[in-house]
Amino acid sequence: MEFNEIDFNNGVPQETVEDLLFLSLLPLASEYDEERIQVFFSECLAALELGIGKLYVLSERNKHIAYSFIFDGDDSEEGAPHIHIVTVHKSKQRSGYGGTLMRELIRSRGKEGFTLECKERTIPFFESNGFSLSQVELDNIHFAMTYGLGSSRPRFKRPSLDDSAYNRYSIFYKRTAHRLQEKGFIRLGSV
């Protein structure tokens, strides 16, 4: 099992980063529409460009299985990293890879604590990995959870994007989808 931290500062080509980010979002297609997935892609790519986020990839035998994207904590004493995305390739779900990914994330970044937002059905998964429900009210769909120091450090860096930025990242998203279709990684209609 390999666990890699991906950003623009560790020599990974931009196209490879975009491809991995896109692939990390595919498991979300059953829960979110394409517009929302493009927003996730845009936020994450912007965070990578700004140096305030990292993509983590769990691989086995050179096959990417599980992914997480983390926004860095705010620079204040109230900041903790925010887990924005946790996904596992559809064919590998419910096989322990998500737990392995979480253990690696906690091992590498957990001393700062974490915050995250999740759907109700995933609360037991995060609780089994040491997270606790927060008293922060979000909406009727998402629930706030924290790990360690994250319970007292809720601030994190999230890029603020205007319409022109979303339009720019939409071009990256479509270009990446086209490239992955040409490589045979995805089929037309799977995004």
Side-chain angles (χ1 to χ4, degrees):
M1 218 47 86
E2 281 186 55
F3 177 73
N4 293 298
E5 179 181 284
I6 309 292
D7 62 26
F8 290 134
N9 296 319
N10 57 10
V12 179
Q14 179 159 346
E15 277 191 4
T16 302
V17 174
E18 292 169 1
D19 291 354
L20 289 168
L21 180 57
F22 190 97
L23 292 170
S24 77
L25 298 171
L26 287 179
L28 299 176
S30 63
E31 295 188 48
Y32 297 98
D33 63 21
E34 187 172 9
E35 184 177 329
R36 182 64 187 130
I37 291 174
Q38 283 189 38
V39 169
F40 284 135
F41 182 88
S42 299
E43 291 171 339
C44 295
L45 191 54
L48 286 165
E49 288 178 348
L50 294 168
I52 61 170
K54 292 185 177 14
L55 177 65
Y56 295 87
V57 180
L58 183 70
S59 306
E60 186 175 58
R61 294 190 276 285
N62 293 324
K63 295 203 185 284
H64 308 305
I65 298 169
Y67 308 86
S68 181
F69 194 89
I70 298 180
F71 292 129
D72 291 342
D74 187 293
D75 289 330
S76 73
E77 288 186 19
E78 295 179 20
H82 180 78
I83 299 174
H84 189 48
I85 295 168
V86 174
T87 60
V88 176
H89 189 280
K90 215 165 196 61
S91 69
K92 301 292 185 178
Q93 291 177 359
R94 304 213 184 283
S95 299
Y97 292 106
T100 299
L101 175 66
M102 294 306 297
R103 286 188 294 281
E104 290 293 334
L105 291 172
I106 289 167
R107 182 187 57 75
S108 68
R109 302 242 352 228
K111 74 175 191 171
E112 304 169 72
F114 289 112
T115 63
L116 63 81
E117 299 164 16
C118 67
K119 291 196 171 185
E120 185 173 14
R121 69 175 182 74
T122 61
I123 290 172
F125 167 76
F126 289 110
E127 286 178 332
S128 73
N129 285 284
F131 285 76
S132 302
L133 271 172
S134 168
Q135 298 303 313
V136 176
E137 287 191 33
L138 298 176
D139 55 34
N140 292 330
I141 299 171
H142 296 94
F143 295 83
M145 297 190 80
T146 60
Y147 175 87
L149 295 174
S151 63
S152 61
R153 302 171 72 185
R155 299 175 57 100
F156 59 93
K157 298 176 182 178
R158 179 187 220 135
S160 178
L161 304 177
D162 60 17
D163 287 343
S164 67
Y166 280 116
N167 290 336
R168 176 177 167 255
Y169 290 116
S170 177
I171 292 168
F172 285 111
Y173 177 88
K174 290 173 184 167
R175 181 184 68 197
T176 304
H178 181 73
R179 183 173 54 245
L180 290 171
Q181 287 171 348
E182 285 184 338
K183 291 179 179 178
F185 286 112
I186 62 172
R187 289 185 313 258
L188 196 57
S190 66
V191 289

